């Protein structure tokens, strides 16, 4: 770990200003991803700004019947909030499917969105990785890529985003609110928050270096049954091979409204709105759900060790939609 | 005492104090639940140590072209940087010597890189953070060469090793090839098991300091003597100049049989600096700098008649080895004694690759060999429409089919039948895919357990102190196996005292040499040595009390007989009474075939959508000789079974074929079972007392639980959904392609 | 490093100024008594460490040492530490509270689990600096926690009664090698608090239930962040069930 100076700030504005003031600064909240990477010298901040005491740790009702979730709300508290459990169970389930009790107690809303890939080669400083060192190559391409992307990847990078929470937030059309060091604020729809790797895989998100996430808002929950299904190699404490966050409103076997987003497939949560709108008015059936799967997987490509993810996604989506529409 | 005769009746049989068999709470338990047991990195018996940090090579094969330490040397807190250029001279590497763990392990001895992560430098600093950071400042450039990393590419160059972990690499009885070729039923399948990582929760760690020309090393090792010899050989000292202490060990499982670079480098640096140095390997370094179980490919051929009676059994195994190190996984060892069949062939071969060293991992041989054999038996049973238990009963040998000697004791059939009843085996459907629970298909499978029983030379010393406390000393180790406790129970029973009156001191090379912990022989060997020492002590005390030895009774802290009774402490004098004992294997080893046996039953659920496999419940029924402690024996058995679940379902040490490094070298991606993977599991021991094995009449249990366990899950998966997976672990992608 | 309390602080100053004082104290005061209570070993170590600092010229700007005040097990400590020091290493290497274990140093095994502000966390993924202002309870502080959290530096010696969770682990043989055990126990204590607060888990059937029973499946899922390679899992779960019943 490289040496760093450390300060604590007590407001979001102070946080944004501090990061602009000192070059090589990074925010640390839960620290469960950042410190992990700092120990391997994959992240090497010169200055840490501890934002754990800036407030922003409340969950509030918004006027339109949604929720505003402070960026510093701990994952465990977010999953346990009664409003989330009652109105956004897919978010609660997704959070509870991730990590461990200890990690959820520290990880924050903002930090969870910003966490980096768990690609084995990203984690090995001795291996070429365009995300760590642009231009050095992608070791996963042609390597052991069992946990890697099958959608939206590029020749530069086939990493996935490991978050469960982000998948649920994508299906809920969350919005990320930020403040900058200049004091300006903006709202980034979750669909535009994470990037695809393209030619610059070193950038995971569209957030700027001096921007500070203040909160995530959720619109009022859509109608329908909400499910989160996580497929992984052991029963707990493992990242998703594939995960699905689904919301289906069906009446008498007919789909009135459907949404589904996926984890484990791409550099960001994957969602194809056309696949969803094509289902509206359809009878809930295997054929309809297989069609939805086909639409979601347009352009899907395996890289040798992760080819199974394609049919796995098809099968799991069909199962989840069946379950969600049966209610 | 040499084990040349069956053991006669003794005080342990009489069990007057009731210690033997009792589920006594571990005597080191309080220390462990309060966090006060000091593991190697935590020992506080010297001045504040400096911190060492190993730097491993980024390439798998080649040499160090250049290493620039200038920046690292100037980093804050750095006291020393060692590389091959300035490392003190050590003994040469050699393949000579019976005990491979005692051979020298020269570190930083030359510019060669022999596997990924091979130590290329060692930094010592005032704090851990400084040492770690300085290690990152070392600038190493390499000349990488193409190494051999891919097992399948080099299987044609497999060679016959001199021995497979002490067993002959080959065995042959009758005419296997001819008989197999003429059998009514010819079963021929190939199985593969991956690299297994021990993944002990405590990484290797060592603390070394010098007292004059003598080095004391606290480390985490199963074999204290071998570690002592390795250090004295490597540093070219005399054995008396090395003391190894290993009182609390955070898991071994065979991965702490040897000691590694951290021990040697800490000792060298401590001498250079004239102050204590402690070093812990990082979890990532545990994959590279220590040993692992090599992967295997195994071919099982079974020739039988339509009733399933075997006439030909052929088991061939190829496993990963390394060029400088002759270990070969003895995968076929259990096959040599498990089932009857006149025509038999086993062959074990090594494929040497430029990877980290492959060596012993929990139940070398049986752990992976029985995954193959017991899957094969299940496949044969299904093919012939014979119940899997019945098939095994039909092939129960009357004596060891290769050695042609009787079994010392064998209750495989009783274990299978008892387990079948307990588990509800009769509920099992004979055809796969018959039982559904929502989107899950449910199946039940079974397999046999067999693990060889050994006895090794061991010594112990007991001292009866004037205060009536019995001090026991032996260089034996406790890795969580329960040695502290079961040895205390033996001593307490022999001397007729409460358990609290035993002071059990282990894990110090200054103590009488012991067998160490390995091969499931620890309790039998060191326990027999303690037994012998106590027998000797009893004789001495009887003489001191003027009681005829045959009449002397030891109970409740008193010795009585010939009309008198007195507290034992009163005979101890000022200095106490010392007695020694030792055990050595003898004729019983050859006259009898000694194994512990058992049967596993597993119920699994297979997700028809995702292919995920989840264990629902599991049972092991074992017959492993006398059980010294019901609690610790059950814990060992459960532990082994859960290892079997991991081996069957989730564990896979993946090597990148291009560069020869472990891809998943941490605990996030090398998947050992978690709590949620083990919903319901139990282990039961059938009563058994075996007087051929050792004076205690016990057999080892530490590795029995893994020996065959994985196959029960493979067989359950087949029963659930019809997918026969022969390439372990059975991850969901393999289930999906194999589901009919 | 200094301790706040008067007598202890004075002793530290003495130990720091006179090298031989540390050695004398080692001889005069046996372990597991006053010496342990005063945490003298920490100061002896800190004094020794400061004496072995290298005198070679060092590259500038490559280390940052900062004051850090930690509240641990009811006592307060003022450290001067490298900013990179994790809470785990501060506990183990500076406060000599070696009960919390380093199994992976990357939050992947749970052996380092302690309670911070009443919540279970991986101490390896917190900087010591980040823990300032929060009460930290380690395995060593559990008995005091059970006794009502009285401020005490009393370690769990032979005579101190165990926390019910520790006792349950002992009775059920919920460990083998013992290395993951402090983390399992602290995690279980934190987990029970979470369950009692009505927090759901990944296997909760009824997500909205605030008083769902703590079944075996619930315990297993909630404890899955604590690996045990000895695989004492079944006994650990039994121990936790017992402790859960003992504290309604």
């Amino acid at each position: 770990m490289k040496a760093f100076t450390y300060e604590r700030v007590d407001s979001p504005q102070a946080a944004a200003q501090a990061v602009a003031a000192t070059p090589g600064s990074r925010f640390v909240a839960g620290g469960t991803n950042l410190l992990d990477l700092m120990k391997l010298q994959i992240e090497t901040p010169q200055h840490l700004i501890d934002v754990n005491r800036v407030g922003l740790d409340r969950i509030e009702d918004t006027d339109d019947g949604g929720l505003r979730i402070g960026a510093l709300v701990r994952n465990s508290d977010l999953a346990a909030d009664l409003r989330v459990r009652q109105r956004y169970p897919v978010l609660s389930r997704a959070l509870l499917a991730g990590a461990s009790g200890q990690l959820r107690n520290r990880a924050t809303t903002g930090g969870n969105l910003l966490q980096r890939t768990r690609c084995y080669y990203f984690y090995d400083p001795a291996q070429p990785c365009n995300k760590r060192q642009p231009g050095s190559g992608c070791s996963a391409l042609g390597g052991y890529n069992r946990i890697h992307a099958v959608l939206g990847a590029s020749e530069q990078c086939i990493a996935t985003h490991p978050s469960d929470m982000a998948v649920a937030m994508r299906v809920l059309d969350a919005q990320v609110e930020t403040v900058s060091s200049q004091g300006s604020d903006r709202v980034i729809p979750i669909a535009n928050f994470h990037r695809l790797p393209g030619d610059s895989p070193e950038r995971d998100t569209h957030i700027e270096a001096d921007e500070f996430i203040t909160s995530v808002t959720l619109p009022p929950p859509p109608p329908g049954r909400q499910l989160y299904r996580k497929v992984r190699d052991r029963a707990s404490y493992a990242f998703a091979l594939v995960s699905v966050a689904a919301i289906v409103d069906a009446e008498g076997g007919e789909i009135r409204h459907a949404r589904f987003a996926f984890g484990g497939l791409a550099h960001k949560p994957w969602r194809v709105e056309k696949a969803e709108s094509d289902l509206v008015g359809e009878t809930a059936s295997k054929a309809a759900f297989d069609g939805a799967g086909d639409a979601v997987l347009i352009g899907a490509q395996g890289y040798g060790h992760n080819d199974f993810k394609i049919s796995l996604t098809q099968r799991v989506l069909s199962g989840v939609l069946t379950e969600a529409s049966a209610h | 005492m040499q084990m040349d005769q069956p053991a006669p009746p003794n005080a342990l049989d009489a069990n007057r104090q009731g210690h033997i068999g009792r589920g006594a709470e571990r005597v080191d338990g309080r220390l462990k639940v309060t966090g006060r047991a000091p593991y190697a990195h935590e020992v506080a018996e010297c001045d504040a140590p400096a911190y060492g940090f190993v730097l491993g090579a980024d390439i798998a094969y080649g040499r160090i072209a250049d290493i620039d330490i200038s920046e690292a040397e100037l980093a804050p807190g750095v006291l020393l940087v060692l590389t091959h250029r300035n490392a003190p001279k050590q003994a040469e590497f050699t393949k000579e010597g019976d005990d491979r763990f005692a051979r020298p392990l020269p570190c930083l001895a030359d510019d060669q890189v022999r596997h990924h992560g091979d130590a290329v430098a060692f930094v010592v600093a005032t704090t851990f953070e400084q040492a770690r950071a300085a290690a990152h400042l070392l600038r190493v450039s390499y000349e990488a060469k193409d190494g051999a990393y891919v097992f399948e590419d080099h299987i044609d160059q497999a060679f016959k090793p001199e021995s497979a972990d002490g067993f002959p690499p080959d065995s042959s009885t009758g005419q296997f090839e001819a008989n197999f070729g003429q059998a009514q039923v010819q079963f021929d399948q190939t199985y593969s098991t991956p690299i297994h990582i021990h993944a002990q929760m405590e990484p290797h760690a060592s603390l070394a300091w010098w007292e004059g020309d003598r080095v004391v090393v606290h480390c985490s090792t199963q074999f204290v003597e071998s570690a002592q010899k390795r250090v004295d050989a490597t540093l070219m000292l005399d054995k008396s100049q090395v003391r190894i202490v290993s009182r609390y060990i955070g898991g071994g499982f065979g991965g702490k049989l040897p000691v590694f670079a951290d021990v040697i480098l800490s000792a060298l640096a401590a001498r250079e600096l004239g102050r204590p140095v402690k070093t812990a390997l990082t979890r990532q370094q545990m994959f590279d700098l220590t040993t692992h179980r090599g992967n295997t490919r195994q071919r099982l051929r079974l020739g039988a008649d339509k009733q399933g009676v075997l006439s030909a059994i052929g088991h061939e195994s190829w496993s990963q080895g390394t060029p400088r190190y002759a270990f070969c996984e003895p995968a076929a060892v259990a096959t040599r004694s498990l089932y009857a069949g006149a025509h038999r062939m086993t062959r074990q071969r090594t494929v040497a690759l430029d990877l980290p060293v492959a060596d012993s991992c929990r139940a070398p041989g049986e752990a992976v060999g029985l995954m193959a054999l017991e899957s094969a038996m299940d496949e044969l049973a299904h093919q012939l429409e014979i119940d899997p238990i019945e098939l095994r009963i039909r092939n129960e040998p009357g004596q060891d089919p290769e050695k042609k000697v009787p079994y010392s004791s064998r209750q495989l059939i009783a274990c299978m039948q008892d387990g079948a009843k307990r588990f509800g085996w009769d509920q099992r459907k004979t055809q796969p895919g018959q039982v559904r629970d929502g989107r899950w298909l449910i199946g039940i499978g079974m397999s046999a357990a067999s693990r060889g029983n050994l006895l090794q030379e061991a010594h112990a010393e007991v001292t009866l102190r004037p205060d009536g406390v019995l001090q026991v000393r032996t260089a034996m180790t406790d890795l969580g196996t329960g040695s502290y406790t079961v040895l205390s129970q033996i001593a307490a029973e022999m001397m007729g005292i409460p358990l609290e009156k035993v002071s059990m001191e282990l894990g110090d090379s200054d103590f009488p040499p012991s067998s160490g912990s390995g091969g499931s022989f620890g309790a039998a060997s060191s326990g027999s040595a303690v037994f012998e020492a106590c027998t000797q002590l009893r004789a001495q005390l009887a003489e001191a009390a003027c009681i005829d030895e045959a009449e002397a009774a030891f109970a409740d802290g008193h010795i009585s007989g010939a009309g008198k009774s007195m507290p034992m402490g009163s005979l101890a004098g000022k200095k106490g009474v010392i007695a020694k004992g030792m055990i050595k294997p003898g004729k019983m080893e050859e006259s009898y075939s000694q194994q512990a046996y058992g049967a596993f039953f597993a119920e699994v659920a297979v997700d028809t959508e995702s292919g995920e496999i989840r264990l629902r419940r599991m049972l092991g029924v074992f017959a492993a000789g006398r059980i010294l402690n019901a609690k610790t024996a059950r814990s060992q058995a459960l532990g082994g079974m859960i290892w079997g679940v991991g081996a069957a379902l989730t564990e896979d040490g993946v090597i990148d074929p291009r560069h020869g490094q472990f891809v998943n070298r941490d605990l996030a991606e090398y998947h050992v079972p978690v709590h949620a993977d083990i919903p319901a599991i139990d282990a039961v021991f059938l009563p058994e007392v075996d007087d051929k094995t050792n004076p205690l009449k016990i057999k080892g249990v530490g590795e029995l639980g893994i020996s065959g366990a994985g196959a029960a899950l493979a067989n359950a998966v087949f029963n659930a959904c019809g997918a026969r997976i022969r390439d372990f672990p059975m991850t969901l992608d393999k289930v999906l392609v194999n589901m009919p | 490093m200094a301790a706040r309390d008067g007598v202890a602080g004075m002793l530290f100053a003495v130990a720091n100024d006179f090298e031989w004082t540390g050695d004398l104290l080692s001889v005069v005061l046996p372990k597991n008594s006053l010496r342990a209570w005063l945490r003298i070993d920490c100061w002896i170590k800190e004094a020794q460490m400061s004496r072995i600092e290298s005198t070679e010229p060092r590259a500038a700007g490559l280390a940052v040492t900062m004051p850090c005040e930690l509240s641990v097990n009811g006592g307060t400590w003022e450290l001067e530490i490298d900013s990179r020091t994790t809470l785990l290493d501060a506990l183990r290497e500076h406060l000599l509270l070696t009960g919390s274990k380093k199994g992976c140093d990357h939050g992947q095994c749970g052996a380092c689990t302690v309670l911070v502000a009443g919540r279970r966390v991986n101490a390896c993924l917190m900087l010591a600096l980040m823990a300032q202002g929060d009460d930290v309870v380690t395995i060593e502080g559990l008995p005091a926690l059970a006794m009502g959290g009285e401020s005490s530096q009393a370690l769990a010696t032979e005579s101190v009664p165990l926390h019910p969770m520790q006792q349950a682990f002992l009775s059920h043989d919920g460990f083998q090698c013992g290395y993951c055990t402090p983390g399992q126990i602290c995690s279980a204590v934190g987990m029970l608090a979470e369950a009692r607060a009505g927090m759901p888990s990944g296997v909760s059937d009824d997500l909205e239930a605030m008083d769902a029973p703590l079944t075996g499946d619930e315990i297993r899922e909630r404890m899955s962040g604590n690996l045990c390679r000895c695989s004492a899992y079944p006994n650990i779960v039994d121990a936790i069930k017992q402790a859960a019943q003992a504290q309604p």
Side-chain angles (χ1 to χ4, degrees), chain B residues 519-570:
Chain B
S520 299
F521 53 63
S525 310
S526 64
S528 295
V530 170
F531 171 89
E532 291 296 316
C534 289
T535 303
Q536 180 60 31
L537 181 62
R538 284 161 62 114
Q540 284 172 225
L541 291 177
E543 191 181 325
C546 301
I547 299 173
D548 187 8
E549 202 187 328
E551 282 182 49
F554 296 83
D556 305 321
H558 285 67
I559 175 174
S560 41
K564 25 184 176 166
S565 175
M566 65 206 79
M568 279 191 297
S570 65

Side-chain angles (χ1 to χ4, degrees), chain B residues 67 101 181 187 272 310 333 418 432 484 664 672 675 709:
Chain B
I67 180 162
F101 306 126
F187 175 88
E272 288 279 305
L310 296 168
V333 66
D418 185 279
Y484 275 112
N664 56 339
V672 304
H675 270 283

Side-chain angles (χ1 to χ4, degrees), chain B residues 25-26 28-39 41-42 44-51 71-79 126-130 132-133 137 196-203 248-251 253 275 278 283-284 362 478-481 631-632 634-636 638-640 642-643 646 651 666-670 672-681, chain C residues 23 31-32 44-46 48-54 56-59 62-63 82 84-86 89 92-94 96 98-106 108-111 139-140 143 155-162 166-167 169-173 175-182 184-185 217 219-221 223-238 240:
Chain B
E25 228 170 59
R26 290 176 199 251
D28 53 345
R30 205 181 162 92
L31 285 175
K32 286 175 174 172
V33 301
T34 57
R36 286 186 307 130
Y39 299 82
H41 202 261
E42 301 155 9
E45 293 177 22
C46 61
D47 284 351
Y51 291 77
E71 240 188 299
E73 269 191 320
L74 291 177
V78 171
L79 304 169
T126 318
T127 69
F128 162 68
E129 294 78 19
Q130 290 165 340
R132 180 182 57 188
L137 292 175
H196 287 150
I197 304 295
H198 305 87
Q200 314 91 333
M201 293 314 301
E202 181 208 14
Y248 297 97
I249 298 146
F253 313 116
R275 56 186 29 110
K278 72 174 175 180
R283 180 54 61 180
Q284 290 76 4
R362 201 168 195 173
D478 187 327
L479 343 162
T481 39
K631 245 186 213 174
T632 58
R634 180 174 174 274
S635 292
Q636 282 290 290
L638 292 174
I642 294 170
W643 271 62
E651 294 182 44
D666 63 27
L667 293 177
E669 294 302 326
Y670 182 82
V672 304
V674 296
H675 270 283
D677 286 315
I678 312 297
I681 189 166
Chain C
D23 302 325
K31 287 187 187 264
N32 292 333
I44 293 170
K45 184 190 173 185
E46 295 293 314
Q48 288 170 345
M49 279 173 68
S50 63
R51 288 202 301 276
I52 66 171
E53 268 291 335
S54 172
E56 301 283 336
R58 293 289 148 218
L62 288 185
D82 190 316
R84 298 169 292 194
T85 311
T86 60
D89 284 317
R92 286 171 62 78
E93 306 302 323
H94 295 266
L96 299 188
T98 55
S100 309
K101 306 301 183 193
K102 183 179 286 192
C104 72
D105 214 19
H106 283 267
Q108 298 165 355
C109 76
I139 185 77
E140 292 93 342
L155 297 180
T157 62
E158 289 307 309
S159 51
V160 174
L162 298 175
Q166 291 171 307
Q167 183 57 58
F169 269 66
L170 203 48
S171 316
H172 288 270
D173 207 37
F175 58 93
Q176 292 178 32
C177 80
Y179 199 73
C180 78
T181 308
Q184 298 274 357
I185 292 173
D217 282 345
I219 293 173
R220 279 181 281 272
E221 165 58 26
M223 290 297 296
S224 282
N226 290 85
L227 301 185
C228 175
R229 195 45 164 157
C230 295
S231 310
Y233 295 132
N235 290 351
I236 290 171
V237 174
D238 286 345
I240 294 172

Side-chain angles (χ1 to χ4, degrees), chain A residues 166-182:
Chain A
V167 179
M169 287 192 162
R170 179 68 179 92
V171 91
L172 290 168
D173 286 333
Q175 312 235 338
V176 183
E177 299 177 336
T178 68
V179 69
S180 77
S181 60
Q182 263 76 62

Side-chain angles (χ1 to χ4, degrees), chain B residues 80-99:
Chain B
L80 178 67
V81 177
L82 289 180
T83 69
H84 66 284
R85 291 192 180 132
N86 65 345
K89 185 152 176 25
Q90 300 149 70
E92 299 270 305
F93 178 88
T94 174
K95 281 188 183 171
E96 301 296 313
D98 285 339
D99 178 3

Side-chain angles (χ1 to χ4, degrees), chain B residues 90-107 162-163 165-166 223-236 257-261 263-264 322-328 357-359:
Chain B
Q90 300 149 70
E92 299 270 305
F93 178 88
T94 174
K95 281 188 183 171
E96 301 296 313
D98 285 339
D99 178 3
R100 63 184 180 279
F101 306 126
R103 294 179 198 150
L105 182 74
C107 299
E162 265 179 45
S163 98
D165 197 21
F223 283 165
V224 158
E225 263 92 67
S226 300
Q228 182 190 37
K229 288 178 193 149
R230 167 157 281 183
V231 173
D232 97 62
T234 309
L235 270 52
M236 300 183 292
L257 295 176
V259 290
F260 297 103
V263 165
I264 304 298
T322 30
R324 298 212 296 173
Y325 204 79
F327 182 80
C328 177
V357 178
D359 205 312

